[in-house]
Amino acid sequence: MMIMDWGLQAVVIGSSTSCSDFHGANNIDFCPTLNYQESEHLSFSHEMKKEVLGDELEELYKPFYHVGGQNTFMGSSISLVPKEVKEEQREEQRHEQQVVAAPRTYVPKYKKRKNEQKRVVLELTADDLSSDKWAWRKYGQKPIKGSPYPRSYYRCSSSKGCLARKQVEQSCTETGIFIVTYTAEHNHSQPTRRNSLAGIIKSKFPNSKNSINSPKKIVKEKISSPHGSTSNLNSCPANLLSIEEFPEIEINQENNIIIGDYYDEGIRNMFEGSGENECVSIQDMFDGDFFAGLEDIHDGFNPSFGCNNSTFPHFSS
DNA sequence: CGAATTTGACCTGCGC
DNA sequence: GCGCAGGTCAAATTCG
């Protein structure tokens, strides 16, 4: 029997480990912290999904889809896969298992297209970089066209199979500012010991300096479609998010969400939090918590979505 | 001596 | 199809 319910699973802030470890072929449900039955109240019907979200918004969500219906962002996860899709994924995964069982003929040496990967870009000071709690190992450095400074490439050195990557380059426009790009996610918990100074201690950036008084931090999230085209939030037909409401937030041509100076301290707190893996999630952003946080930062700030809040699905946790 | 970094070569994606 | 730019590999080198 085909189940038409749209199981919208939104797993709130939690350990990235618990979710990222959940990519096994048999683990096509959701995080162990929240299974479908337990989260029935989070579901809404397929018809409701169509009515509220619409096809195009559904398309918008696709970048967050993930094999096994599991998505994570900055240590949190959100799952948006309808059950009928999950059945198809079961078939695909069964097929993949068969392929794996067969003699290996070709192993892709490189990852999928770079524009398919979710990237989080931060502009950080040296101090911000040194507070990175992860252990990184440098594996490359390249000069970048148009920039006088090279870009350094780091991978997570804590876990052998961890796909987390980090790129560090100095801003060519602002001295003391480093553009850090995180790609993929850690599949393990944070190490107790860290090599957080990667890219700083041995940095050859001539202008590297500690600039505690220049806390500028721009947070971007590149949202890319697995089909190669990027989802354009600005043209979101459902007008899911009215950027005009957020004077310090903009979306650039690359569909990066940019948060300006004004919210710096608040953003810092929201991303770093007081405990491990406490990060802001896409869900929180949709849920309004993210913007509520900005509201706290910005007195009189009035976050609102472009669509009617009463019809917008509420991702209660 | 093992681990980390450096650096040139190689591979892939993408625009023209 | 070609060339460029970015990303990764891996041998050599350096560090602790």
Side-chain angles (χ1 to χ4, degrees), chain A residues 292-317:
Chain A
L294 297 182
E295 185 178 11
D296 291 336
I297 302 162
H298 187 321
D299 240 352
F301 180 76
N302 180 26
S304 62
F305 293 99
C307 63
N308 188 335
N309 274 341
S310 64
T311 58
F312 187 79
H314 193 73
F315 302 163
S316 61
S317 53

Side-chain angles (χ1 to χ4, degrees), chain A residues 3-39:
Chain A
I3 303 171
M4 293 301 290
D5 277 356
W6 169 265
L8 176 64
Q9 316 293 325
V11 183
V12 293
I13 293 170
S15 166
S16 58
T17 306
S18 64
C19 296
S20 301
D21 288 339
F22 231 62
H23 295 163
N26 296 324
N27 297 326
I28 60 167
D29 287 322
F30 306 96
C31 284
T33 53
L34 184 61
N35 64 34
Y36 184 79
Q37 284 74 24
E38 290 169 343
S39 60

Side-chain angles (χ1 to χ4, degrees), chain A residues 177-196:
Chain A
I177 297 295
F178 296 88
I179 300 171
V180 184
T181 304
Y182 294 94
T183 308
E185 300 201 23
H186 299 274
N187 61 359
H188 55 92
S189 56
Q190 278 186 355
T192 53
R193 295 176 65 103
R194 62 189 171 95
N195 178 24
S196 64

Side-chain angles (χ1 to χ4, degrees), chain A residues 38 44 49 53 69 76 88 95 121 210 212 217 223 236 246-247 252:
Chain A
E38 290 169 343
F44 51 97
K49 176 201 68 175
L53 298 180
S76 301
E88 294 173 8
H95 176 68
V121 183
N210 293 343
I212 298 173
K217 181 186 290 183
I223 302 171
C236 170
F246 310 100
N252 66 12

Side-chain angles (χ1 to χ4, degrees), chain A residues 259-275:
Chain A
I259 299 170
D261 298 358
Y262 197 91
Y263 302 111
D264 174 71
E265 195 58 35
I267 296 297
R268 182 192 306 274
N269 294 336
M270 292 166 70
F271 274 94
E272 293 179 354
S274 56

Side-chain angles (χ1 to χ4, degrees), chain A residues 154-208:
Chain A
Y154 299 88
R155 64 162 57 94
C156 179
S157 62
S158 300
S159 177
K160 211 171 183 178
C162 182
L163 296 176
R165 294 284 190 277
K166 172 186 179 179
Q167 300 173 4
V168 180
E169 63 180 293
Q170 185 172 4
S171 169
C172 57
T173 57
E174 298 174 83
T175 55
I177 297 295
F178 296 88
I179 300 171
V180 184
T181 304
Y182 294 94
T183 308
E185 300 201 23
H186 299 274
N187 61 359
H188 55 92
S189 56
Q190 278 186 355
T192 53
R193 295 176 65 103
R194 62 189 171 95
N195 178 24
S196 64
L197 299 182
I200 292 300
I201 290 298
K202 302 215 171 188
S203 170
K204 292 186 176 177
F205 298 145
N207 297 322
S208 172

Side-chain angles (χ1 to χ4, degrees), chain A residues 33-155:
Chain A
T33 53
L34 184 61
N35 64 34
Y36 184 79
Q37 284 74 24
E38 290 169 343
S39 60
E40 194 69 32
H41 64 284
L42 293 178
S43 306
F44 51 97
S45 69
H46 187 73
E47 289 71 24
M48 180 181 171
K49 176 201 68 175
K50 286 289 184 184
E51 179 183 343
V52 175
L53 298 180
D55 292 333
E56 292 165 295
L57 181 55
E58 189 179 354
E59 192 69 23
L60 175 67
Y61 276 150
K62 281 183 179 176
F64 302 113
Y65 290 1
H66 191 283
V67 173
Q70 182 59 57
N71 288 275
T72 60
F73 173 69
M74 296 293 286
S76 301
S77 61
I78 182 168
S79 184
L80 298 159
V81 182
K83 287 185 174 180
E84 53 269 38
V85 175
K86 289 166 61 179
E87 283 302 320
E88 294 173 8
Q89 289 174 346
R90 281 180 218 268
E91 282 302 317
E92 288 178 7
Q93 286 171 352
R94 272 194 287 271
H95 176 68
E96 286 171 7
Q97 283 181 301
Q98 292 171 358
V99 170
V100 169
R104 177 181 296 185
T105 55
Y106 170 71
V107 177
K109 197 173 183 180
Y110 292 86
K111 311 276 185 307
K112 56 186 176 181
R113 295 179 184 186
K114 52 186 175 183
N115 64 2
E116 290 180 21
Q117 296 184 355
K118 183 171 61 184
R119 303 159 75 94
V120 176
V121 183
L122 307 176
E123 285 194 12
L124 305 174
T125 64
D127 273 3
D128 292 328
L129 266 178
S130 65
S131 63
D132 191 331
K133 297 179 176 60
W134 297 97
W136 301 99
R137 176 174 179 160
K138 188 175 185 176
Y139 65 89
Q141 178 172 303
K142 286 281 291 185
I144 300 302
K145 188 183 180 184
S147 172
Y149 307 105
R151 175 181 296 162
S152 298
Y153 299 89
Y154 299 88
R155 64 162 57 94

